[in-house]
Amino acid sequence: MAVFGSAKESKIFVLLTVLLYVGGTLSQKVQVHFHGATVLSWKVAGKDVLFQSREAIYDNQAPIRAGIPIAFPHFGQWEAGPTHGFARTSRWGLEEGPQKDAQGNATVVYSLVDTEETRRLWNHKFKLTYTLVFGDTAFKTSLKVENTGETTFNFTTLLHNYFRVDDIRSVTVSGMQGLEYIDKTRNFERFTERRELLTVGEFVDYVYINTPSSHVITGINGGRTMRMDKENFPDTVVWNPWETMSPNFPDLGNDEYLSFICVEAGHVVTPVTLTPGEEFKAVQTLTL
Ligand code: TA6
């Protein structure tokens, strides 16, 4: 598996493209935007597993509606700063790679540390380390949060995955049956999920609490089934704006709701508390 990456500097954005070859054939192609360390694209056998809105904004200011935006230090509406926090609208640095690890996987590591701007919003010192590992048909993302300051802080965090699907109306998501969830479409009221397999036929915005360590999602681009394994991401958010809410998002085509589902691994219901010197680590592995 040969790996090489190229960083292309332009007026608009800096992008890292990682190409993975197996037996001389391009098996995977990954694109990561330094703005928010947003994984824009993960192509396996030529088809993208991730969704990019055709109206996405790449101005190094707005969050990019694509792939895997990172929510930190706050998931959701935030009185101290931007919705879903500042991580997805900050310029991350390349910490390591791209390179091959001992197992022949492609790895690349990004990092984000506090700045004057982040401290103005949230007066704490931190380091985020975001490690991406690409195997033959698997993609592992690890997020480490370190408290590098002298004050204890609380945060919530989530990987806001946009998965490209053939048709949202034929997608299923396993693992929710019997769970309590917060329904953001019904005044954040709590309900119990009765269905063995979740399907989407309307605007959904559900925060499932204490979910199992894995979900299986069918209907992924190209008729594929994907498994999502999570460590230390106890909650799973499922969102699709449907036709009704899509007009609220100028960076999303009105018909694009049919082509994606957000199944988001997070630690969002109970905030994480880190004392000085402590660290938090969570992992998501996607396997086709
Ligand atoms: O994760 C679901 C959600 O919190 C929805 O409530 C919706 O707001 C979505 O995120 C998109 O948020 P964004 O700030 O990216 O437009």
Side-chain angles (χ1 to χ4, degrees):
M1 181 185 298
V3 172
F4 62 91
S6 65
K8 194 167 49 177
E9 186 78 35
S10 75
K11 281 196 294 295
I12 302 172
F13 57 78
V14 174
L15 187 69
L16 187 71
T17 300
V18 179
L19 303 175
L20 293 86
Y21 288 84
V22 177
T25 308
L26 179 63
S27 65
Q28 291 185 55
K29 181 177 178 182
V30 176
Q31 293 199 317
V32 187
H33 199 302
F34 282 80
H35 184 60
T38 309
V39 180
L40 299 178
S41 169
W42 172 41
K43 283 186 178 174
V44 179
K47 287 184 178 293
D48 211 333
V49 179
L50 303 178
F51 167 83
Q52 291 181 58
S53 168
R54 63 170 181 263
E55 307 295 342
I57 299 165
Y58 296 90
D59 64 0
N60 281 339
Q61 300 293 325
I64 303 171
R65 194 170 302 285
I68 309 179
I70 300 168
F72 176 88
H74 187 90
F75 168 72
Q77 302 287 339
W78 189 30
E79 74 286 340
T83 298
H84 295 329
F86 47 64
R88 65 175 182 164
T89 52
S90 296
R91 168 77 178 249
W92 289 56
L94 182 62
E95 183 101 354
E96 276 176 42
Q99 60 196 352
K100 279 198 301 185
D101 66 14
Q103 291 69 40
N105 299 316
T107 66
V108 59
V109 185
Y110 297 85
S111 60
L112 179 71
V113 295
D114 54 284
T115 63
E116 196 175 314
E117 171 59 17
T118 66
R119 290 191 299 272
R120 187 177 60 77
L121 297 173
W122 190 65
N123 191 18
H124 298 291
K125 292 181 182 298
F126 66 87
K127 179 175 183 180
L128 302 185
T129 305
Y130 190 44
T131 303
L132 311 181
V133 179
F134 299 93
D136 287 347
T137 57
F139 171 23
K140 180 177 172 181
T141 48
S142 305
L143 181 66
K144 181 166 74 171
V145 181
E146 296 171 85
N147 182 340
T148 56
E150 298 77 37
T151 53
T152 294
F153 60 63
N154 301 321
F155 67 91
T156 54
T157 189
L158 166 134
L159 299 180
H160 201 296
N161 305 305
Y162 285 81
F163 297 124
R164 178 168 288 281
V165 299
D166 296 315
D167 183 331
I168 185 66
R169 295 164 296 196
S170 59
V171 168
T172 65
V173 182
S174 77
M176 311 301 190
Q177 191 169 37
L179 296 183
E180 191 179 21
Y181 67 95
I182 299 164
D183 186 342
K184 294 169 68 175
T185 73
R186 287 186 282 179
N187 299 317
F188 291 67
E189 287 181 45
R190 293 190 179 211
F191 299 91
T192 300
E193 181 56 69
R194 302 288 178 213
R195 294 169 292 178
E196 182 188 350
L197 293 177
L198 191 63
T199 55
V200 177
E202 59 184 346
F203 166 40
V204 297
D205 195 352
Y206 304 155
V207 181
Y208 288 91
I209 305 166
N210 288 331
T211 53
S213 59
S214 67
H215 298 293
V216 173
I217 305 166
T218 65
I220 296 291
N221 187 16
R224 292 179 289 188
T225 295
M226 180 175 69
R227 184 186 160 96
M228 171 193 279
D229 293 296
K230 307 179 286 129
E231 296 165 43
N232 210 13
F233 280 133
D235 309 310
T236 305
V237 177
V238 178
W239 176 65
N240 183 285
W242 206 249
E243 190 173 14
T244 44
M245 306 300 280
S246 290
N248 297 346
F249 302 93
D251 57 347
L252 182 68
N254 283 348
D255 61 341
E256 290 193 291
Y257 72 93
L258 289 166
S259 303
F260 77 89
I261 186 167
C262 285
V263 182
E264 310 158 24
H267 200 307
V268 299
V269 178
T270 305
V272 180
T273 299
L274 285 189
T275 58
E278 258 194 316
E279 65 181 51
F280 161 90
K281 185 176 177 186
V283 180
Q284 167 185 277
T285 304
L286 305 174
T287 308
L288 282 176

